[in-house]
Amino acid sequence: MDKLSCFNVACIKCVGGQSSHDSGKGKSREGQVKYGFHLVKGKSSHPMEDYHVAKFVRIDGHELGLFAIYDGHLGNAVPAYLQKNLFANILKEDAFWTNPGGSISRAYEKTDQDILKSSNLGRGGSTAVTAILINGRRLWVANVGDSRAVLSRGGQAIQMTIDHEPSTERGSIENKGGFVSNMPGDVPRVNGQLAVSRAFGDKSLKSHLRSDPDILDVTIDVNCDVLILASDGLWKVVTNQEAIDIARKIKDPRKAAEQLTAEALKRDSKDDISCVVVKFKT
């Protein structure tokens, strides 16, 4: 099989967060890296809008860990689309093995253009945080929006992503003809509507938004033990260091993800909460 066919067979069927609770775990072929995930629907009346990917696949002799959180808004069509297509588009890039960062950036842009051209995905949008672990050693993390990735190195929390908030990217929004509102008791919003400054989709706001990701890569060494990807349903109420401290204490990554969501609920997070925990040490 060629690279794309192998990818489609191996990993295109990834479980999404469509139920009120979703949980699972897995490990790399050699068992050196393990992952677990847990998703909980928030207290709002709309259906679950968080989706995830958590899988290991083998392509062209390489083992890839694919992990993602997609936090939708105004419906679940866009995060569901990202779950099925974003990693596939990244791995379709001819230069992926020689230039992963450039390939990720191009695939993010292509995927957003495909979403905007589609007549079936509505007017909603989604944040994204993705992590690709290549052969257990090189980690590439990218994001748009406020879903976040945090790495533990020597027990210290290192934020791998940048929260794209209207208050911090006001200049870009205003240069595109938009505005940022900050009503009392509310968070800053693009044109009074959206609480993130970068996102997939959002057709009605796209002229004032960005969809290019921030990308960071690191080498996973003996000091790295935990990676957490989560939606803002967790990060609104739990700090980076608190999350790492909780995850490091629990050996089973699925139980660690469950404990993180439980802690967010205990702290009265009302949003959908989704969490993937990757353990680099067994």
Side-chain angles (χ1 to χ4, degrees), residues 39-68:
L39 298 87
V40 178
K41 184 184 177 304
K43 297 180 181 180
S44 61
S45 59
H46 59 67
M48 178 67 157
E49 293 178 334
D50 279 9
Y51 282 66
H52 81 287
V53 174
K55 286 186 80 79
F56 277 97
V57 300
R58 291 191 67 82
I59 301 175
D60 292 350
H62 299 277
E63 184 172 55
L64 301 181
L66 305 177
F67 309 103

Side-chain angles (χ1 to χ4, degrees), residues 8-9 15 53 69 87 93 102 112 119 136 163 171 203 207 216 228 242 249 253 260 268 270 280-281:
N8 285 339
V9 171
V15 179
V53 174
I69 295 292
F87 278 127
E93 289 287 326
D112 191 45
S119 60
D163 293 345
K203 293 180 180 180
S207 61
L216 185 65
I228 301 171
E242 287 173 334
K249 292 177 182 177
L260 286 168
D268 202 30
K270 295 178 173 59
F280 299 110
K281 292 182 180 179

Side-chain angles (χ1 to χ4, degrees), residues 17-251:
Q18 299 183 61
S19 61
S20 59
H21 292 77
D22 195 1
S23 189
K25 63 181 179 179
K27 61 182 179 181
S28 62
R29 187 173 185 177
E30 302 298 326
Q32 297 301 308
V33 182
K34 298 181 179 180
Y35 68 82
F37 58 88
H38 191 65
L39 298 87
V40 178
K41 184 184 177 304
K43 297 180 181 180
S44 61
S45 59
H46 59 67
M48 178 67 157
E49 293 178 334
D50 279 9
Y51 282 66
H52 81 287
V53 174
K55 286 186 80 79
F56 277 97
V57 300
R58 291 191 67 82
I59 301 175
D60 292 350
H62 299 277
E63 184 172 55
L64 301 181
L66 305 177
F67 309 103
I69 295 292
Y70 307 122
D71 181 357
H73 44 266
L74 294 179
N76 57 14
V78 174
Y81 183 90
L82 292 171
Q83 183 195 59
K84 294 178 180 178
N85 294 283
L86 183 54
F87 278 127
N89 287 342
I90 291 172
L91 297 180
K92 283 179 188 175
E93 289 287 326
D94 292 336
F96 174 75
W97 299 107
T98 56
N99 183 12
S103 297
I104 291 167
S105 182
R106 287 189 295 273
Y108 264 61
E109 182 62 28
K110 177 188 184 302
T111 304
D112 191 45
Q113 291 302 315
D114 290 345
I115 290 169
L116 296 175
K117 292 174 185 175
S118 172
S119 60
N120 301 320
L121 297 179
R123 62 190 184 94
S126 181
T127 72
V129 57
T130 60
I132 301 177
L133 180 65
I134 303 177
N135 297 323
R137 295 291 297 167
R138 194 69 177 269
L139 179 69
W140 288 86
V141 174
N143 82 296
V144 295
D146 57 5
S147 293
R148 187 184 303 171
V150 177
L151 177 69
S152 168
R153 174 171 277 142
Q156 296 300 307
I158 301 171
Q159 186 167 321
M160 299 283 290
T161 51
I162 296 174
D163 293 345
H164 298 136
E165 299 175 341
S167 57
T168 58
E169 297 197 310
R170 180 188 296 268
S172 172
I173 295 163
E174 292 177 345
N175 286 340
K176 292 173 177 287
F179 66 90
V180 176
S181 65
N182 194 357
M183 301 295 290
D186 194 14
V187 296
R189 295 180 183 273
V190 178
N191 294 5
Q193 301 175 55
L194 187 63
V196 291
S197 54
R198 301 191 201 185
F200 285 95
D202 291 296
K203 293 180 180 180
S204 64
L205 293 172
K206 182 55 65 175
S207 61
H208 304 146
L209 296 177
R210 294 168 59 180
S211 57
D212 55 304
D214 278 302
I215 302 172
L216 185 65
D217 71 294
V218 297
T219 297
I220 299 300
D221 57 29
V222 294
N223 296 310
C224 301
D225 53 356
V226 175
L227 174 71
I228 301 171
L229 280 68
S231 62
D232 67 335
L234 176 73
W235 302 120
K236 283 178 180 177
V237 295
V238 177
T239 68
N240 293 346
Q241 192 62 53
E242 287 173 334
I244 290 297
D245 291 344
I246 291 170
R248 294 183 77 234
K249 292 177 182 177
I250 304 172
K251 184 175 182 180

